[in-house]
Amino acid sequence: MGIEIIFKIAAIGIVVAIVAQVLKSAGKDEIATLSTLAGLIVVLLIVIDLVSELFSSVQNLFYLY
């Protein structure tokens, strides 16, 4: 589970960087910024889900005993 998440986040970063560079070269700087922001939000949602799972696991660990 761990390595797939890292690869998924890296792939999102690479795709967003390519899209942003293409849009900037086409003169669409505002849309490039929005696409970068959208990629950041997607990655943050993934990380927030992982942190939530971590807190749940820690909580279950301490409630078990």
Side-chain angles (χ1 to χ4, degrees):
M1 178 180 127
I3 197 75
E4 292 94 13
I5 299 294
I6 293 171
F7 285 146
K8 187 183 292 186
I9 291 172
I12 291 170
I14 291 169
V15 168
V16 166
I18 291 171
V19 168
Q21 288 299 320
V22 168
L23 287 171
K24 281 185 182 181
S25 67
K28 308 284 186 181
D29 291 332
E30 296 86 10
I31 299 174
T33 304
L34 288 176
S35 67
T36 304
L37 184 62
L40 179 65
I41 290 170
V42 168
V43 169
L44 284 177
L45 288 174
I46 293 171
V47 170
I48 287 172
D49 186 45
L50 290 173
V51 170
S52 172
E53 288 179 19
L54 173 67
F55 284 152
S56 177
S57 298
V58 170
Q59 186 179 19
N60 287 337
L61 178 70
F62 285 114
Y63 281 139
L64 188 61
Y65 297 108

